[in-house]
Structure formats: C-alpha cells, structure tokens
Amino acid sequence: MHKPLVFNSREALFSELAEQCGEAISHAIKQNGQAHIVVPGGSTPAPLFEKLSLQNLAWEKVSIVPSDERWISVNEANSNECLLNRSFRINHAKAATLVSLKCDAETPQKGWKTIENRLQHIAKQWDLVVL
C-alpha cells in the first residue's frame, strides 16, 4: 500500500509534481524518442506547468494535448489552448508542440473529424496524463 504524500504548501506540492512529471517525460523520450502528454487547462494546474516549463528537457520531442476544450477561439482567455500557451508553453517548454482540439468548423459536430485526424497522428499510448 502506498503511503499518502503530505505537503506543507501548494508550492511544495507543485514542485514535487513538476519533478515527477519531468521524470516521466524524460523517460518517455529516452525510451521512445518522443513523449505524448495530456493535460487540463484552467488556472489550477498553472503553477505546475510553469515549474515544469523551467526543466531542461528535450521539449521539441514533446506533444501536449489538452484534455478538453471549449468551442471558442483559441485566442480567448477561457480557451484551454490559450491558457496552456500562457502557463505551459513558456520558458524551455515553448519548443513543445501543442495539438489543438479546435478547428475552424462552426461546431464541434462539424469539426470532430478534423480533430480526430490530428490525434491519430500522435500516440496510441500516452506517456503522461494529468487530470
């Protein structure tokens, strides 16, 4: 049975999570030559992503996929893609590829095939999933 981890602060929590995520990404790159990760948008994980973006990893070999997206412009503040670009694809992680879950179709029903095609070109297995 795993012993629960207890942190004295959010800072300590995000530092440890960033370290563990960085290790998972680095391991995937060493094993497969690339890493495919799924992450949420929103403001809650932003401190984790900011810390992770400071790690000196082979970010050009990393694909980031949002776990979900609103069907709004990716430039709007509430877009998860926008939030990930502001909080994650900074510092060293700017070299990572962000796979958009949004296209020019007017509705998700009209755009799902485009998005499905984007995702088919990535992994059949994810190296890191943050929920």
Side-chain angles (χ1 to χ4, degrees), residues 14 18 22 33-34 52-53 60 70 74 79-80 93 106 117 122 126:
F14 287 127
Q34 57 191 350
L52 188 53
S53 76
E60 69 280 0
R70 296 166 181 89
V74 297
S79 160
N80 285 336
E106 1 176 317
N117 287 337
I122 311 178
W126 303 105

Side-chain angles (χ1 to χ4, degrees), residues 22-130:
E23 288 173 8
I25 293 168
S26 181
H27 177 75
I29 292 169
K30 286 178 186 165
Q31 292 294 312
N32 308 314
Q34 57 191 350
H36 305 289
I37 67 175
V38 177
V39 297
S43 59
T44 301
L48 165 63
F49 299 150
E50 290 165 6
K51 289 183 178 306
L52 188 53
S53 76
L54 293 169
Q55 293 187 22
N56 191 17
L57 303 172
W59 287 105
E60 69 280 0
K61 297 178 180 181
V62 177
S63 296
I64 302 170
V65 178
S67 59
D68 70 314
E69 183 58 279
R70 296 166 181 89
W71 207 257
I72 58 176
S73 168
V74 297
N75 297 318
E76 288 189 37
N78 288 334
S79 160
N80 285 336
E81 185 171 333
C82 181
L83 291 165
L84 289 170
N85 278 324
R86 286 191 312 209
S87 66
F88 196 173
R89 290 193 63 238
I90 56 175
N91 303 311
H92 297 298
K94 192 171 195 149
T97 300
L98 181 65
V99 180
S100 182
L101 295 183
K102 180 72 172 64
C103 66
D104 291 334
E106 1 176 317
T107 66
Q109 293 79 10
K110 292 180 180 178
W112 74 269
K113 192 66 174 169
T114 299
I115 305 306
E116 182 180 58
N117 287 337
R118 285 181 194 160
L119 294 174
Q120 284 180 352
H121 296 294
I122 311 178
K124 301 297 181 208
Q125 176 178 328
W126 303 105
D127 301 300
L128 174 68
V129 177
V130 178

